[in-house]
Short mmCIF file of all heavy atoms in Angstrom, two decimals:
data_model
loop_
_atom_site.label_atom_id
_atom_site.label_comp_id
_atom_site.label_asym_id
_atom_site.label_seq_id
_atom_site.Cartn_x
_atom_site.Cartn_y
_atom_site.Cartn_z
N MET B 1 8.96 -23.37 -77.00
CA MET B 1 9.58 -24.50 -76.31
C MET B 1 10.75 -24.04 -75.46
O MET B 1 10.93 -24.50 -74.33
CB MET B 1 10.04 -25.54 -77.34
CG MET B 1 8.90 -26.25 -78.07
SD MET B 1 9.49 -27.40 -79.32
CE MET B 1 10.36 -28.58 -78.28
N VAL B 2 11.56 -23.13 -76.01
CA VAL B 2 12.71 -22.63 -75.26
C VAL B 2 12.25 -21.90 -74.01
O VAL B 2 12.79 -22.08 -72.92
CB VAL B 2 13.55 -21.68 -76.15
CG1 VAL B 2 14.65 -21.01 -75.32
CG2 VAL B 2 14.16 -22.47 -77.29
N LEU B 3 11.21 -21.04 -74.17
CA LEU B 3 10.68 -20.30 -73.03
C LEU B 3 10.15 -21.23 -71.96
O LEU B 3 10.37 -21.03 -70.76
CB LEU B 3 9.59 -19.33 -73.49
CG LEU B 3 8.92 -18.49 -72.40
CD1 LEU B 3 9.96 -17.62 -71.71
CD2 LEU B 3 7.82 -17.64 -72.99
N SER B 4 9.47 -22.29 -72.38
CA SER B 4 8.92 -23.25 -71.42
C SER B 4 10.01 -23.95 -70.66
O SER B 4 9.93 -24.15 -69.44
CB SER B 4 8.05 -24.28 -72.16
OG SER B 4 6.97 -23.65 -72.80
N LEU B 5 11.08 -24.35 -71.37
CA LEU B 5 12.18 -25.04 -70.71
C LEU B 5 12.89 -24.13 -69.72
O LEU B 5 13.28 -24.56 -68.63
CB LEU B 5 13.18 -25.54 -71.78
CG LEU B 5 12.69 -26.70 -72.66
CD1 LEU B 5 13.71 -26.98 -73.76
CD2 LEU B 5 12.46 -27.96 -71.82
N VAL B 6 13.06 -22.85 -70.10
CA VAL B 6 13.70 -21.91 -69.18
C VAL B 6 12.87 -21.71 -67.93
O VAL B 6 13.38 -21.69 -66.80
CB VAL B 6 13.93 -20.55 -69.89
CG1 VAL B 6 14.38 -19.49 -68.89
CG2 VAL B 6 14.98 -20.71 -70.98
N THR B 7 11.56 -21.56 -68.12
CA THR B 7 10.65 -21.36 -66.98
C THR B 7 10.65 -22.55 -66.04
O THR B 7 10.76 -22.42 -64.82
CB THR B 7 9.22 -21.10 -67.48
OG1 THR B 7 9.24 -19.97 -68.36
CG2 THR B 7 8.29 -20.82 -66.31
N ILE B 8 10.54 -23.76 -66.65
CA ILE B 8 10.53 -24.98 -65.84
C ILE B 8 11.86 -25.17 -65.14
O ILE B 8 11.93 -25.52 -63.96
CB ILE B 8 10.21 -26.20 -66.72
CG1 ILE B 8 8.78 -26.09 -67.26
CG2 ILE B 8 10.36 -27.49 -65.94
CD1 ILE B 8 8.44 -27.15 -68.29
N GLY B 9 12.95 -24.92 -65.89
CA GLY B 9 14.28 -25.08 -65.29
C GLY B 9 14.49 -24.11 -64.15
O GLY B 9 15.02 -24.47 -63.10
N GLY B 10 14.06 -22.87 -64.34
CA GLY B 10 14.22 -21.89 -63.28
C GLY B 10 13.41 -22.27 -62.06
O GLY B 10 13.85 -22.13 -60.92
N TYR B 11 12.22 -22.82 -62.27
CA TYR B 11 11.37 -23.21 -61.15
C TYR B 11 12.02 -24.34 -60.36
O TYR B 11 12.00 -24.37 -59.12
CB TYR B 11 10.01 -23.65 -61.67
CG TYR B 11 9.08 -24.16 -60.58
CD1 TYR B 11 8.37 -23.27 -59.80
CD2 TYR B 11 8.94 -25.53 -60.34
CE1 TYR B 11 7.53 -23.73 -58.80
CE2 TYR B 11 8.11 -26.00 -59.34
CZ TYR B 11 7.40 -25.10 -58.57
OH TYR B 11 6.58 -25.56 -57.58
N LEU B 12 12.63 -25.30 -61.06
CA LEU B 12 13.22 -26.45 -60.38
C LEU B 12 14.43 -26.07 -59.54
O LEU B 12 14.73 -26.73 -58.53
CB LEU B 12 13.62 -27.52 -61.41
CG LEU B 12 12.48 -28.21 -62.15
CD1 LEU B 12 13.04 -29.14 -63.22
CD2 LEU B 12 11.60 -28.98 -61.17
N TYR B 13 15.14 -25.01 -59.95
CA TYR B 13 16.34 -24.62 -59.22
C TYR B 13 16.08 -23.58 -58.13
O TYR B 13 17.00 -23.09 -57.50
CB TYR B 13 17.39 -24.09 -60.20
CG TYR B 13 18.09 -25.22 -60.93
CD1 TYR B 13 17.67 -25.60 -62.20
CD2 TYR B 13 19.15 -25.88 -60.33
CE1 TYR B 13 18.30 -26.64 -62.86
CE2 TYR B 13 19.78 -26.93 -60.99
CZ TYR B 13 19.37 -27.30 -62.25
OH TYR B 13 19.99 -28.33 -62.90
N ILE B 14 14.84 -23.19 -57.91
CA ILE B 14 14.50 -22.24 -56.84
C ILE B 14 14.49 -22.97 -55.50
O ILE B 14 13.91 -24.04 -55.37
CB ILE B 14 13.12 -21.60 -57.10
CG1 ILE B 14 13.22 -20.67 -58.30
CG2 ILE B 14 12.64 -20.83 -55.88
CD1 ILE B 14 11.89 -20.06 -58.70
N ASP B 15 15.13 -22.35 -54.51
CA ASP B 15 15.10 -22.89 -53.14
C ASP B 15 13.80 -22.45 -52.48
O ASP B 15 13.62 -21.29 -52.14
CB ASP B 15 16.31 -22.34 -52.36
CG ASP B 15 16.36 -22.89 -50.94
OD1 ASP B 15 15.50 -23.72 -50.59
OD2 ASP B 15 17.26 -22.46 -50.18
N HIS B 16 12.90 -23.42 -52.32
CA HIS B 16 11.57 -23.06 -51.83
C HIS B 16 11.55 -22.68 -50.35
O HIS B 16 10.53 -22.28 -49.82
CB HIS B 16 10.59 -24.21 -52.10
CG HIS B 16 10.20 -24.31 -53.54
ND1 HIS B 16 11.09 -24.68 -54.52
CD2 HIS B 16 9.02 -24.06 -54.18
CE1 HIS B 16 10.47 -24.68 -55.69
NE2 HIS B 16 9.22 -24.30 -55.51
N GLY B 17 12.69 -22.84 -49.69
CA GLY B 17 12.76 -22.39 -48.30
C GLY B 17 13.35 -21.01 -48.17
O GLY B 17 13.46 -20.48 -47.06
N ALA B 18 13.72 -20.43 -49.29
CA ALA B 18 14.35 -19.11 -49.28
C ALA B 18 13.31 -18.02 -49.05
O ALA B 18 12.10 -18.26 -49.10
CB ALA B 18 15.07 -18.88 -50.61
N LYS B 19 13.81 -16.82 -48.85
CA LYS B 19 12.93 -15.68 -48.57
C LYS B 19 12.14 -15.28 -49.81
O LYS B 19 12.60 -15.44 -50.93
CB LYS B 19 13.75 -14.49 -48.09
CG LYS B 19 14.44 -14.70 -46.75
CD LYS B 19 15.25 -13.47 -46.37
CE LYS B 19 16.00 -13.70 -45.05
NZ LYS B 19 16.82 -12.51 -44.68
N ALA B 20 10.97 -14.74 -49.58
CA ALA B 20 10.13 -14.20 -50.64
C ALA B 20 9.47 -12.94 -50.11
O ALA B 20 9.29 -12.78 -48.90
CB ALA B 20 9.09 -15.22 -51.08
N TYR B 21 9.11 -12.08 -51.00
CA TYR B 21 8.49 -10.80 -50.63
C TYR B 21 7.17 -10.65 -51.35
O TYR B 21 7.06 -10.93 -52.55
CB TYR B 21 9.43 -9.64 -50.97
CG TYR B 21 10.78 -9.75 -50.27
CD1 TYR B 21 11.81 -10.47 -50.86
CD2 TYR B 21 10.98 -9.16 -49.02
CE1 TYR B 21 13.04 -10.59 -50.21
CE2 TYR B 21 12.21 -9.28 -48.37
CZ TYR B 21 13.23 -10.01 -48.97
OH TYR B 21 14.44 -10.13 -48.33
N ILE B 22 6.17 -10.21 -50.59
CA ILE B 22 4.83 -10.06 -51.14
C ILE B 22 4.32 -8.67 -50.83
O ILE B 22 4.48 -8.16 -49.72
CB ILE B 22 3.86 -11.10 -50.53
CG1 ILE B 22 4.37 -12.51 -50.81
CG2 ILE B 22 2.46 -10.93 -51.10
CD1 ILE B 22 3.55 -13.59 -50.14
N CYS B 23 3.71 -8.07 -51.82
CA CYS B 23 3.12 -6.75 -51.63
C CYS B 23 1.98 -6.87 -50.62
O CYS B 23 1.12 -7.76 -50.73
CB CYS B 23 2.62 -6.21 -52.96
SG CYS B 23 1.99 -4.51 -52.87
N ASP B 24 1.97 -5.96 -49.66
CA ASP B 24 0.99 -6.05 -48.58
C ASP B 24 -0.34 -5.46 -49.02
O ASP B 24 -0.84 -4.48 -48.49
CB ASP B 24 1.52 -5.32 -47.35
CG ASP B 24 0.65 -5.59 -46.12
OD1 ASP B 24 -0.14 -6.56 -46.17
OD2 ASP B 24 0.78 -4.85 -45.14
N LYS B 25 -0.90 -6.10 -50.04
CA LYS B 25 -2.21 -5.71 -50.55
C LYS B 25 -3.01 -6.99 -50.78
O LYS B 25 -2.47 -8.01 -51.19
CB LYS B 25 -2.09 -4.94 -51.86
CG LYS B 25 -1.49 -3.55 -51.72
CD LYS B 25 -1.47 -2.83 -53.06
CE LYS B 25 -0.89 -1.43 -52.95
NZ LYS B 25 -0.87 -0.72 -54.25
N GLY B 26 -4.28 -6.91 -50.54
CA GLY B 26 -5.12 -8.10 -50.68
C GLY B 26 -5.17 -8.64 -52.10
O GLY B 26 -5.43 -9.82 -52.32
N SER B 27 -4.93 -7.77 -53.07
CA SER B 27 -5.05 -8.19 -54.47
C SER B 27 -3.74 -8.72 -55.05
O SER B 27 -3.68 -9.11 -56.21
CB SER B 27 -5.54 -7.00 -55.32
OG SER B 27 -4.61 -5.93 -55.23
N ALA B 28 -2.67 -8.72 -54.30
CA ALA B 28 -1.37 -9.16 -54.79
C ALA B 28 -1.42 -10.66 -55.12
O ALA B 28 -1.88 -11.47 -54.32
CB ALA B 28 -0.28 -8.87 -53.77
N ARG B 29 -0.90 -11.02 -56.32
CA ARG B 29 -0.93 -12.43 -56.75
C ARG B 29 0.46 -12.99 -57.03
O ARG B 29 0.61 -14.14 -57.36
CB ARG B 29 -1.79 -12.57 -58.01
CG ARG B 29 -3.27 -12.28 -57.77
CD ARG B 29 -4.06 -12.37 -59.05
NE ARG B 29 -3.67 -11.32 -59.99
CZ ARG B 29 -4.16 -11.19 -61.21
NH1 ARG B 29 -5.05 -12.07 -61.65
NH2 ARG B 29 -3.76 -10.21 -62.00
N LYS B 30 1.51 -12.14 -56.86
CA LYS B 30 2.87 -12.56 -57.16
C LYS B 30 3.74 -12.49 -55.92
O LYS B 30 3.50 -11.71 -54.99
CB LYS B 30 3.47 -11.66 -58.25
CG LYS B 30 2.68 -11.64 -59.56
CD LYS B 30 2.81 -12.96 -60.30
CE LYS B 30 2.09 -12.91 -61.63
NZ LYS B 30 2.22 -14.17 -62.39
N TYR B 31 4.77 -13.31 -55.91
CA TYR B 31 5.81 -13.16 -54.89
C TYR B 31 7.12 -12.85 -55.60
O TYR B 31 7.31 -13.15 -56.78
CB TYR B 31 5.93 -14.40 -54.00
CG TYR B 31 6.47 -15.64 -54.68
CD1 TYR B 31 7.85 -15.85 -54.77
CD2 TYR B 31 5.61 -16.62 -55.17
CE1 TYR B 31 8.34 -17.00 -55.37
CE2 TYR B 31 6.11 -17.77 -55.77
CZ TYR B 31 7.48 -17.96 -55.86
OH TYR B 31 7.98 -19.09 -56.45
N HIS B 32 8.05 -12.24 -54.85
CA HIS B 32 9.28 -11.74 -55.44
C HIS B 32 10.46 -12.29 -54.65
O HIS B 32 10.38 -12.48 -53.43
CB HIS B 32 9.28 -10.21 -55.41
CG HIS B 32 8.01 -9.61 -55.94
ND1 HIS B 32 7.83 -9.26 -57.25
CD2 HIS B 32 6.82 -9.33 -55.29
CE1 HIS B 32 6.60 -8.79 -57.41
NE2 HIS B 32 5.96 -8.83 -56.23
N LEU B 33 11.57 -12.52 -55.34
CA LEU B 33 12.76 -13.10 -54.70
C LEU B 33 13.64 -12.02 -54.08
O LEU B 33 14.51 -12.34 -53.28
CB LEU B 33 13.57 -13.90 -55.73
CG LEU B 33 12.83 -15.07 -56.39
CD1 LEU B 33 13.75 -15.78 -57.38
CD2 LEU B 33 12.31 -16.05 -55.35
N SER B 34 13.41 -10.77 -54.44
CA SER B 34 14.22 -9.69 -53.90
C SER B 34 13.35 -8.50 -53.56
O SER B 34 12.35 -8.23 -54.24
CB SER B 34 15.28 -9.27 -54.95
OG SER B 34 15.94 -8.08 -54.55
N ASP B 35 13.73 -7.81 -52.47
CA ASP B 35 12.97 -6.61 -52.12
C ASP B 35 13.29 -5.45 -53.03
O ASP B 35 12.72 -4.37 -52.92
CB ASP B 35 13.23 -6.23 -50.65
CG ASP B 35 14.71 -5.98 -50.39
OD1 ASP B 35 15.54 -6.18 -51.32
OD2 ASP B 35 15.04 -5.58 -49.26
N LYS B 36 14.23 -5.67 -53.95
CA LYS B 36 14.58 -4.65 -54.93
C LYS B 36 13.86 -4.87 -56.28
O LYS B 36 14.14 -4.16 -57.25
CB LYS B 36 16.09 -4.67 -55.21
CG LYS B 36 16.93 -4.52 -53.96
CD LYS B 36 16.71 -3.17 -53.28
CE LYS B 36 17.64 -3.02 -52.07
NZ LYS B 36 17.39 -1.73 -51.35
N CYS B 37 12.97 -5.85 -56.33
CA CYS B 37 12.26 -6.16 -57.58
C CYS B 37 11.48 -4.93 -58.05
O CYS B 37 10.78 -4.29 -57.26
CB CYS B 37 11.31 -7.32 -57.37
SG CYS B 37 10.37 -7.76 -58.86
N PRO B 38 11.60 -4.56 -59.31
CA PRO B 38 10.91 -3.37 -59.83
C PRO B 38 9.41 -3.42 -59.63
O PRO B 38 8.76 -2.37 -59.50
CB PRO B 38 11.26 -3.39 -61.33
CG PRO B 38 12.54 -4.16 -61.42
CD PRO B 38 12.45 -5.20 -60.34
N ALA B 39 8.84 -4.61 -59.60
CA ALA B 39 7.39 -4.72 -59.45
C ALA B 39 6.92 -4.29 -58.08
O ALA B 39 5.74 -3.96 -57.89
CB ALA B 39 6.96 -6.16 -59.73
N LEU B 40 7.84 -4.25 -57.08
CA LEU B 40 7.44 -3.86 -55.72
C LEU B 40 7.37 -2.35 -55.55
O LEU B 40 6.96 -1.86 -54.49
CB LEU B 40 8.43 -4.45 -54.71
CG LEU B 40 8.32 -5.96 -54.48
CD1 LEU B 40 9.44 -6.44 -53.57
CD2 LEU B 40 6.97 -6.32 -53.88
N LYS B 41 7.77 -1.60 -56.57
CA LYS B 41 7.73 -0.15 -56.46
C LYS B 41 6.32 0.36 -56.26
O LYS B 41 6.10 1.39 -55.63
CB LYS B 41 8.34 0.48 -57.72
CG LYS B 41 9.85 0.28 -57.83
CD LYS B 41 10.40 0.96 -59.07
CE LYS B 41 11.90 0.77 -59.18
NZ LYS B 41 12.46 1.43 -60.40
N ASN B 42 5.36 -0.36 -56.83
CA ASN B 42 3.97 0.08 -56.69
C ASN B 42 3.45 -0.08 -55.28
O ASN B 42 2.42 0.49 -54.92
CB ASN B 42 3.08 -0.71 -57.66
CG ASN B 42 3.42 -0.44 -59.11
OD1 ASN B 42 3.85 0.66 -59.45
ND2 ASN B 42 3.22 -1.44 -59.97
N CYS B 43 4.14 -0.89 -54.48
CA CYS B 43 3.69 -1.10 -53.10
C CYS B 43 4.14 0.03 -52.16
O CYS B 43 3.64 0.13 -51.03
CB CYS B 43 4.25 -2.42 -52.56
SG CYS B 43 3.49 -3.87 -53.30
N LYS B 44 5.11 0.85 -52.62
CA LYS B 44 5.62 1.96 -51.81
C LYS B 44 6.07 1.48 -50.44
O LYS B 44 5.66 1.97 -49.39
CB LYS B 44 4.55 3.04 -51.65
CG LYS B 44 4.15 3.66 -52.98
CD LYS B 44 3.07 4.72 -52.79
CE LYS B 44 2.67 5.32 -54.13
NZ LYS B 44 1.62 6.36 -53.99
N ASP B 45 6.94 0.43 -50.48
CA ASP B 45 7.55 -0.16 -49.27
C ASP B 45 6.56 -0.89 -48.38
O ASP B 45 6.90 -1.30 -47.25
CB ASP B 45 8.27 0.92 -48.44
CG ASP B 45 9.43 1.52 -49.22
OD1 ASP B 45 10.03 0.79 -50.04
OD2 ASP B 45 9.71 2.70 -49.00
N HIS B 46 5.32 -1.06 -48.85
CA HIS B 46 4.34 -1.82 -48.06
C HIS B 46 4.35 -3.26 -48.54
O HIS B 46 3.44 -3.73 -49.21
CB HIS B 46 2.94 -1.21 -48.20
CG HIS B 46 2.84 0.18 -47.68
ND1 HIS B 46 2.95 0.51 -46.34
CD2 HIS B 46 2.65 1.37 -48.34
CE1 HIS B 46 2.83 1.81 -46.18
NE2 HIS B 46 2.65 2.37 -47.39
N PHE B 47 5.40 -4.01 -48.21
CA PHE B 47 5.48 -5.43 -48.57
C PHE B 47 5.97 -6.21 -47.36
O PHE B 47 6.59 -5.66 -46.43
CB PHE B 47 6.40 -5.65 -49.77
CG PHE B 47 7.79 -5.09 -49.61
CD1 PHE B 47 8.79 -5.82 -48.96
CD2 PHE B 47 8.10 -3.85 -50.12
CE1 PHE B 47 10.06 -5.29 -48.81
CE2 PHE B 47 9.38 -3.33 -49.98
CZ PHE B 47 10.37 -4.03 -49.34
N VAL B 48 5.70 -7.46 -47.32
CA VAL B 48 6.03 -8.33 -46.19
C VAL B 48 6.97 -9.42 -46.66
O VAL B 48 6.97 -9.81 -47.83
CB VAL B 48 4.77 -8.95 -45.57
CG1 VAL B 48 3.90 -7.85 -44.97
CG2 VAL B 48 4.01 -9.75 -46.58
#
């Protein structure tokens, strides 16, 4: 329940007009709020 509330609360406070970063691969399913996100390391700077 706590995890669900945190997730929902975090989603509600996100500015949906803000910048997002996506790995420039066809199989990418996530977006990131920062270009420094550890998950983008696998893209080797190939993100948009």
Side-chain angles (χ1 to χ4, degrees):
M1 292 177 64
V2 173
L3 179 61
S4 299
L5 290 174
V6 170
T7 303
I8 294 172
Y11 176 81
L12 292 175
Y13 282 97
I14 291 176
D15 181 3
H16 285 68
K19 295 179 182 179
Y21 301 88
I22 301 175
C23 185
D24 190 16
K25 291 183 179 180
S27 60
R29 294 178 294 178
K30 302 289 183 179
Y31 69 85
H32 312 268
L33 300 180
S34 170
D35 59 355
K36 305 297 183 183
C37 179
L40 287 174
K41 290 182 180 180
N42 296 329
C43 289
K44 297 179 181 180
D45 297 328
H46 297 292
F47 55 84
V48 295

